[in-house]
Amino acid sequence: MPLGRKLPVESEKLSRIPFRVEDELMIASMAKWMGFIGRFIMIVSVIGLFFILLGFVFCLLMLGADDAILSEMGKFGEFVKNNNVTLAVLAAAFLLLNSLQVAAGYHLFWASRNFDNVARTNEADQDFLAAGLVRLRTAAKISTTVALFQLAVNVLAVMALTGLKELAS
């Protein structure tokens, strides 16, 4: 189901699922931890976005920097001078990765809210359960995409920064 599509709305709420008390407590506990993890992912990813953005701006500024400025930085300046475009591309890729992680955390958080409603309310359990599963599936898809993209970025970064790009051609 696409992100923008809402679940079908019935004129009457779907019925309550008769969970045992132990099951409702387990669902509530799972929802609490899922919400914590979702918030944690969002916070850490936003902090990461800030630092990556700083690095990205630094790389862009160093594109036009004088050789004198870079030589004052020693080996780090030489490394930045020789790999500036690669570092800027890596920073842009990691900006995208962290943005996707924020989205995954967001969906995980809202899935936790839906599952919490399953455990704590006495109505529309099927609606809340279906909405939570859609959010959970979306978070899993985003996380899988991030993991695959991150693997590709890491391999390309190693190739670019160690001179292995000649081997790939």
Side-chain angles (χ1 to χ4, degrees):
M1 180 175 297
L3 287 178
R5 253 179 70 190
K6 293 188 176 191
L7 294 172
V9 178
E10 305 267 336
S11 58
E12 294 181 29
K13 294 272 187 186
L14 292 173
S15 63
R16 173 150 171 71
I17 301 172
F19 290 111
R20 295 178 300 170
V21 174
E22 298 86 21
D23 294 335
E24 286 185 350
L25 292 173
M26 181 188 62
I27 292 169
S29 175
M30 177 200 64
K32 180 182 82 169
W33 282 105
M34 192 183 297
F36 171 76
I37 292 169
R39 284 186 202 98
F40 181 77
I41 289 171
M42 286 189 290
I43 291 168
V44 168
S45 296
V46 167
I47 292 169
L49 278 170
F50 173 73
F51 284 109
I52 292 169
L53 190 59
L54 286 178
F56 187 66
V57 169
F58 174 76
C59 287
L60 290 179
L61 290 175
M62 290 298 113
L63 281 173
D66 293 337
D67 287 340
I69 294 172
L70 293 174
S71 64
E72 287 177 17
M73 296 177 162
K75 288 185 177 185
F76 179 72
E78 183 180 334
F79 177 79
V80 169
K81 179 181 175 185
N82 295 336
N83 299 294
N84 210 323
V85 174
T86 303
L87 292 173
V89 170
L90 284 174
F94 284 115
L95 278 172
L96 175 65
L97 285 168
N98 273 20
S99 299
L100 289 171
Q101 281 296 89
V102 171
Y106 173 83
H107 285 286
L108 194 59
F109 170 75
W110 283 106
S112 77
R113 300 294 297 259
N114 290 124
F115 290 129
D116 191 58
N117 285 335
V118 169
R120 301 205 186 279
T121 63
N122 288 325
E123 57 188 47
D125 282 350
Q126 291 178 2
D127 281 340
F128 291 131
L129 188 59
L133 290 173
V134 167
R135 292 281 190 175
L136 192 57
R137 182 181 65 200
T138 302
K141 285 180 179 180
I142 293 171
S143 293
T144 303
T145 302
V146 167
L148 292 173
F149 187 57
Q150 193 166 14
L151 176 66
V153 168
N154 290 344
V155 168
L156 293 174
V158 167
M159 290 173 64
L161 295 175
T162 60
L164 295 177
K165 52 188 164 196
E166 290 85 25
L167 294 177
S169 52

